[in-house]
Amino acid sequence: MISRNTAAGVYFVGAGPGDPELLTLKGQRLLQEADVILYADSLVPTGILQFAPPSTLCIPTAALTLEEIIPLMVEAVQAGKKVVRLQSGDPSLYSAIHEQICRLAEAGIAVEVVPGISAYQLAAARLKVELTLPELVQTIILTRASGRTRVPPTEELASLAAHKASLCLYLSANCIQRAQRDLLQHYPPETLVAVGYRLGWPDEQLWLVPLRDIAAFSQQQRLTRTTLYLISPALAVQQQGSDAWRSCLYSPEHHHLFRPH
Ligand SMILES: C[S@@+](CC[C@H](N)C(=O)[O-])C[C@H]1O[C@@H](n2cnc3c(N)ncnc32)[C@H](O)[C@@H]1O
């Protein structure tokens, strides 16, 4: 059995996509208590550091290597400091926490991970869309196009597209032309794609673009980073305002434990 967290040395905290108000209460408390915060400044806005006391040492890590980051954490823990490692979005997604946790374990340091709101969740919220509409789409795929980090052959974008699920594409602005081609193997060209740029930041942008145009559009808007693509059959339904895909949950014909006959 995996035990619940006990006395961590380092707290990995999901910062959410940008807006400091999207931090969890637990994340906020840990920032308030932190002596040292190491934060991924490429994606975590400094506004989130406002929760830390002025005495907290805040270290940006975008320019550092793992070999430089780990000793900073280990030395701080060994000096009895409370250490928070602030990651963008949710730490379970594309955050390189695995290698950090392994190195900390080698140093005998336990960690606790506090979840955060991922970029796709803020995109869905902004769009006011349910990505799992009954009978239409019941699966969400979180993935990326193959780039410098290779995606395993069993997860090629074209094969994932065959499901025609709600598909959230991270880290792919730089190879969106290839991604568009792969997605078009299965999704119709007119499928709406939400293109979110720096969601939750003051310069946030969110557009709806037909799939056949997302590469040209991305190029025209000069989108190279911090961009999320959300492809879903639910987007068109949401645009039409149709409730044809209503669930059983609140249907008068449907009875269940909390609403018996
Ligand atoms: C290194 S990954 C980190 C993902 C993060 N852990 C999460 O859960 O959102 C960075 C990628 O996430 C997406 N992303 C992260 N923050 C974003 C934001 N505020 N707006 C749009 N996309 C974002 C982009 O695809 C970006 O290239």
Side-chain angles (χ1 to χ4, degrees):
M1 197 178 91
I2 308 287
S3 62
R4 284 195 59 166
N5 297 305
T6 48
V10 174
Y11 295 84
F12 285 81
V13 173
D19 180 352
E21 288 199 325
L22 293 178
L23 188 66
T24 62
L25 288 177
K26 186 161 191 170
Q28 182 181 353
R29 176 178 60 76
L30 288 166
L31 291 182
Q32 285 163 347
E33 295 169 358
D35 299 306
V36 179
I37 298 173
L38 294 99
Y39 67 104
D41 48 319
S42 51
L43 279 168
V44 175
T46 47
I48 291 194
L49 303 174
Q50 71 187 324
F51 297 120
S55 57
T56 303
L57 174 64
C58 297
I59 306 173
T61 58
L64 303 182
T65 62
L66 181 68
E67 285 66 19
E68 291 165 321
I69 292 169
I70 297 298
L72 292 173
M73 291 199 266
V74 172
E75 281 160 29
V77 171
Q78 286 172 348
K81 312 265 190 217
K82 184 154 191 171
V83 179
V84 168
R85 176 72 173 118
L86 197 54
Q87 305 274 158
S88 78
D90 182 69
S92 71
L93 285 171
Y94 309 116
S95 60
I97 62 167
H98 172 73
E99 63 218 52
Q100 299 175 63
I101 292 172
C102 288
R103 297 282 175 103
L104 290 169
E106 282 166 19
I109 294 174
V111 305
E112 180 174 340
V113 180
V114 178
I117 291 180
S118 186
Y120 92 90
Q121 292 169 300
L122 181 55
R126 289 281 193 261
L127 294 157
K128 303 177 179 64
V129 69
E130 178 177 348
L131 297 175
T132 54
L133 284 181
E135 316 254 335
L136 179 69
V137 55
Q138 287 289 282
T139 302
I140 301 173
I141 296 174
L142 308 177
T143 191
R144 61 174 297 170
S146 223
R148 277 203 298 180
T149 302
R150 306 301 301 168
V151 169
T154 50
E155 296 171 23
E156 286 297 340
L157 195 52
S159 68
L160 298 180
H163 297 285
K164 295 192 191 151
S166 291
L167 190 147
C168 309
L169 201 54
Y170 287 74
L171 293 161
S172 300
N174 275 324
C175 43
I176 196 60
Q177 191 130 22
R178 186 159 33 86
Q180 175 183 312
R181 186 200 62 204
D182 292 348
L183 293 165
L184 279 170
Q185 289 186 35
H186 297 283
Y187 291 92
E190 62 279 7
T191 306
L192 284 181
V193 180
V195 183
Y197 172 71
R198 284 170 60 92
L199 299 165
W201 291 67
D203 55 349
E204 163 182 314
Q205 302 269 16
L206 182 61
W207 304 271
L208 282 175
V209 183
L211 174 56
R212 61 171 166 265
D213 297 331
I214 57 169
F217 181 82
S218 302
Q219 196 177 18
Q220 181 201 331
Q221 296 293 331
R222 298 180 201 281
L223 302 178
T224 52
R225 56 189 300 267
T226 326
T227 304
L228 181 91
Y229 300 88
L230 199 167
I231 300 101
S232 175
L235 289 175
V237 174
Q238 197 267 355
Q239 287 294 297
Q240 292 154 9
S242 156
D243 78 344
W245 278 269
R246 70 174 282 178
S247 71
C248 296
L249 189 60
Y250 299 111
S251 161
E253 283 84 49
H254 183 74
H255 301 280
H256 52 72
L257 184 62
F258 298 100
R259 200 177 55 237
H261 270 283

